Amino acid sequence: MTERTGAAAEAGTGTGTGTGTESVPVDDGGAVVNLGDGWESDGGAGRRPEDGAGRGVVTAFGQTMKTLRVREGLEREEFGKRLGYSASTVASFEQGRRIPSPRTIERADEVLDARGLLCLWKEQVERAQYPVFFQGMAALEKEAIELLAYDTLVVKGLLQTEAYMRALLAMRRPVLDQETIEQRVAARLARQDIFNRWPAPLLSFVMDESVLRRRYGGKDVQRGQLEQLLLIGQKRNVEIQVMPLDSEDNAGVNGPFTVVTRKDGKRFVYAEADGIGSLQTDPERATLAHARYGIIRSQALSPRESLELIERVLASL
């Protein structure tokens, strides 16, 4: 049986149930595993189509936008001015080389008097920025009622500051070009809308103390990231906990993972290792991961103790 976990039709995973236009199929009996970049550690998705199907969607959207622009008698330069972009950027959109943001698509629809035609593409175009292996997870984040994350090497992507993202991206080998860095930062920041959603999902993050002490990008970047954790940790639907270095027990020794629960009660487990992303959909594995996370939380410092530790690390800088 196939479970629809993308921005799906009636049971969709877009901005909420029933809002999607297509699905990203995920086998309920096992896992979807694809090769790709380590997205949680490299700063997030790009604003370029990441696979053949994605490029097809973006190209089709670009051709549609160009057809509407020509129909309105607008040159690229004039159209770009109304959108706030250069003519070359408009050309990149129309040729499927760059992915416009949802807000840009809405503005283009308005300028071209498309009456919602371009807006119909929003979720498909947005999803095209992710490689296939991450599309299901990106969609699940949007409809999660509970998200539990354990991390051991870097701050969880959803908690990263822009400066922290850039520091991680700068460490990538092979080296990334500047445009790719900008695109990936924009996509990761957009995913952080999960903190502003209503009804608010329950969000829990446990990280090793070593993550707090790593100076990726230098002291200023570290300081800003710690301040961000303190700020987000004050939200009523968010709990941030730290696994202390001197802890003698840690059920998370197998590595970082994320458990997402949908409104229908189904749970999914996402993990990355050595550039391989795995979205586990097997109910037994998801249940065991959820239980393991509960043990990890019990072994970590309490949310209050964790915030106090973060404050001490911050004060020591």
Side-chain angles (χ1 to χ4, degrees):
M1 179 180 177
T2 297
E3 175 61 33
R4 299 162 73 87
T5 66
E10 200 56 33
T13 63
T15 54
T17 56
T19 62
T21 57
E22 285 188 356
S23 66
V24 176
V26 178
D27 186 352
D28 267 344
V32 168
V33 181
N34 295 86
L35 299 178
D37 291 335
W39 288 62
E40 288 295 32
S41 61
D42 79 357
R47 297 298 298 177
R48 292 175 176 170
E50 293 283 353
D51 58 78
R55 284 191 292 272
V57 168
V58 177
T59 299
F61 168 80
Q63 291 173 345
T64 301
M65 186 167 70
K66 179 179 179 179
T67 298
L68 293 172
R69 175 180 63 78
V70 172
R71 185 194 67 178
E72 291 296 305
L74 291 176
E75 296 294 331
R76 281 176 177 162
E77 185 175 3
E78 177 60 27
F79 181 47
K81 286 181 179 179
R82 299 191 188 186
L83 295 182
Y85 292 105
S86 65
S88 61
T89 298
V90 171
S92 295
F93 290 154
E94 294 181 347
Q95 295 164 10
R97 292 185 287 108
R98 291 189 62 181
I99 299 177
S101 68
R103 186 170 300 177
T104 298
I105 293 176
E106 292 172 357
R107 177 57 179 159
D109 191 281
E110 178 183 344
V111 171
L112 298 177
D113 192 27
R115 301 183 181 182
L117 178 61
L118 291 180
C119 289
L120 290 175
W121 291 84
K122 277 198 304 184
E123 290 189 12
Q124 294 182 65
V125 170
E126 181 182 10
R127 192 166 63 245
Q129 70 188 300
Y130 303 110
V132 172
F133 82 86
F134 196 75
Q135 288 180 5
M137 182 58 187
L140 285 171
E141 286 179 350
K142 289 190 172 184
E143 69 159 16
I145 62 170
E146 180 185 64
L147 186 147
L148 316 173
Y150 174 62
D151 289 280
T152 61
L153 297 176
V154 300
V155 173
K156 182 71 175 175
L158 293 175
L159 298 170
Q160 293 173 7
T161 64
E162 181 175 340
Y164 191 90
M165 296 176 197
R166 293 182 183 279
L168 294 181
L169 285 161
M171 299 176 198
R172 290 295 305 278
R173 298 296 183 273
V175 175
L176 298 176
D177 63 82
Q178 192 59 38
E179 182 180 8
T180 297
I181 290 176
E182 297 303 325
Q183 292 168 341
R184 294 190 173 193
V185 167
R188 173 56 57 84
L189 291 173
R191 286 175 56 211
Q192 294 181 354
D193 283 345
I194 192 172
F195 294 110
N196 303 316
R197 213 174 67 207
W198 190 262
L202 300 177
L203 306 173
S204 173
F205 304 93
V206 178
M207 64 191 74
D208 281 2
E209 181 180 345
S210 61
V211 172
L212 303 177
R213 299 185 180 278
R214 296 183 189 276
R215 294 186 177 177
Y216 295 139
K219 283 189 177 182
D220 288 343
V221 172
Q222 182 188 15
R223 183 179 296 108
Q225 183 60 68
L226 294 175
E227 291 173 346
Q228 169 101 323
L229 293 177
L230 291 173
L231 182 63
I232 294 178
Q234 299 300 320
K235 292 180 178 292
R236 291 184 296 163
N237 65 314
V238 177
E239 288 190 342
I240 294 177
Q241 294 177 252
V242 177
M243 180 69 74
L245 289 172
D246 60 4
S247 176
E248 297 182 0
D249 295 298
N250 184 349
V253 291
N254 285 344
F257 63 97
T258 302
V259 181
V260 179
T261 303
R262 290 195 319 204
K263 188 176 182 180
D264 60 8
K266 291 185 179 180
R267 291 194 180 111
F268 304 82
V269 185
Y270 181 78
E272 291 181 356
D274 195 26
I276 301 176
S278 170
L279 180 59
Q280 300 283 350
T281 64
D282 179 68
E284 180 178 355
R285 292 187 180 185
T287 298
L288 290 174
H290 192 273
R292 183 165 70 253
Y293 187 82
I295 298 173
I296 292 172
R297 290 179 73 174
S298 70
Q299 296 169 333
L301 299 176
S302 70
R304 178 174 295 181
E305 293 170 333
S306 298
L307 293 182
E308 291 174 352
L309 174 58
I310 294 173
E311 288 177 340
R312 290 198 298 273
V313 176
L314 180 59
S316 69
L317 295 178

